[in-house]
Amino acid sequence: MAPSVARASARQESPDPTYRLHRVLTSSDAESGRKARHTYGRRKGHPLTASQVQRLDVMMPHLRPDLSGPAPAPLTNVFGPGIRDVWLEIGFGGGEHLAWQAAHNPDVGMIGAEPFLNGQASLASHIEDGGLANVRLYDDGVQDLLAWLPPASIGRAFILFPDPWPKKRHIKRRIVSPKTLVALARVMVPGAELRVATDIGEYVRTTMLAIHNSPDFIWPAMGPAEWCERPADWPPTRYEAKAVTAGRKCHYFRFLRR
Ligand SMILES: C[S@@+](CC[C@H](N)C(=O)[O-])C[C@H]1O[C@@H](n2cnc3c(N)ncnc32)[C@H](O)[C@@H]1O
């Protein structure tokens, strides 16, 4: 449903009970630790406003891909006519980058995965404000979504400023990992770009090592300009702004699926 329609129905419909149930279950799973195998970060921050809750209640049933059955073939059918490619953003945070990509690439369907409720609320607001019909939101850790996506269905993927998990005992929680690269390699189209950004030196090492050891990805960069400067079609994120303010240097990587 287009966001303008969602806005209109927000005034008419009562909140979708399935969505409420899903959200309650997701939260209680997180609280009991049952989701811990997938997602380690926060699921909730400050309480949502009533209008944020209502926006999510109305929009989520239309935004969330239905993982209860097989993915449609081709995957572009998730969005409807006029969509030629599907891109995936993992951990979109406040959703500014995802919304920018959706607005600047109206013939691309953007799927974002984000378990943080306040981030979902922020993206929903961007979708409504921008009248973006080409966005879908998976409100959980990306792993089940990756397993659901068909082979060679994603034309570009983004992992921007993933949670650093600096402690040695938490390194296995990092989303850039051999396991994630295997899952991404399955769903990405040959030649598709995987964009990764980080401001953490140790995470650069983790990323380089994972790419170097992966038979599925290459790093075609020719020189430092390519990873020190953000390309024009790559807008800054909220986390990145904080990193820059704190004086941390950001790295921007563009890998290719073989
Ligand atoms: C440091 S924040 C960066 C957010 C955003 N990309 C930015 O640059 O502003 C990392 C985000 O990844 C999300 N995240 C953590 N684990 C995830 C997972 N398994 N799947 C999808 N997102 C995840 C977190 O909830 C968090 O919002």
Side-chain angles (χ1 to χ4, degrees):
M1 181 170 66
S4 54
V5 181
R7 216 175 7 242
S9 33
R11 290 190 293 270
Q12 293 158 13
E13 288 174 11
S14 59
D16 180 279
T18 321
Y19 172 56
R20 280 195 181 283
L21 178 65
H22 172 89
R23 207 136 48 82
V24 168
L25 285 176
T26 305
S27 313
S28 57
D29 274 353
E31 274 144 26
S32 71
R34 267 176 284 152
K35 285 270 173 189
R37 73 192 169 94
H38 277 348
T39 308
Y40 300 97
R42 285 191 307 167
R43 280 183 171 264
K44 283 190 263 181
H46 57 78
L48 300 189
T49 63
S51 65
Q52 284 177 314
V53 170
Q54 193 190 28
R55 189 180 294 114
L56 282 174
D57 279 341
V58 172
M59 291 174 71
M60 277 310 295
H62 307 284
L63 292 177
R64 185 191 301 109
D66 179 9
L67 270 55
S68 64
L75 185 65
T76 48
N77 285 353
V78 165
F79 297 89
I83 297 295
R84 60 164 179 87
D85 201 3
V86 181
W87 296 357
L88 170 69
E89 182 161 345
I90 300 174
F92 56 73
E96 314 82 22
H97 172 272
L98 192 152
W100 187 98
Q101 293 293 356
H104 287 77
N105 300 281
D107 56 350
V108 169
M110 294 290 307
I111 304 183
E114 175 58 66
F116 187 50
L117 183 62
N118 303 64
Q120 297 158 19
S122 172
L123 179 62
S125 163
H126 284 299
I127 293 171
E128 191 177 79
D129 292 347
L132 303 172
N134 56 334
V135 177
R136 295 295 178 271
L137 195 175
Y138 183 63
D139 52 347
D140 209 335
V142 74
Q143 289 81 353
D144 288 345
L145 178 69
L146 282 173
W148 175 81
L149 289 169
S153 59
I154 296 295
R156 185 170 292 182
F158 306 89
I159 308 178
L160 307 182
F161 301 94
D163 291 323
W165 295 115
K167 290 183 180 157
K168 209 169 174 180
R169 68 175 189 277
H170 289 153
I171 283 179
K172 61 179 179 309
R173 298 181 178 187
R174 290 181 179 167
I175 192 85
V176 177
S177 66
K179 196 173 167 188
T180 303
L181 290 187
V182 168
L184 277 171
R186 186 187 72 81
V187 303
M188 287 175 72
V189 175
E193 201 172 77
L194 167 62
R195 294 185 174 185
V196 178
T198 184
D199 58 316
I200 309 291
E202 210 339 74
Y203 215 111
V204 170
R205 210 178 97 80
T206 291
T207 304
M208 286 301 145
L209 207 60
I211 292 290
H212 178 77
N213 291 334
S214 167
D216 301 313
F217 289 91
I218 54 166
W219 185 34
M222 301 295 285
E226 290 186 50
W227 64 85
C228 293
E229 288 162 28
R230 189 163 28 72
D233 66 346
W234 183 335
T237 69
R238 196 188 291 180
Y239 182 93
E240 175 180 359
K242 286 184 196 162
V244 170
T245 304
R248 293 195 295 275
K249 187 171 155 37
C250 300
H251 299 78
Y252 311 92
F253 299 112
R254 290 189 289 176
F255 306 112
L256 293 181
R257 171 75 174 95
R258 280 185 199 276

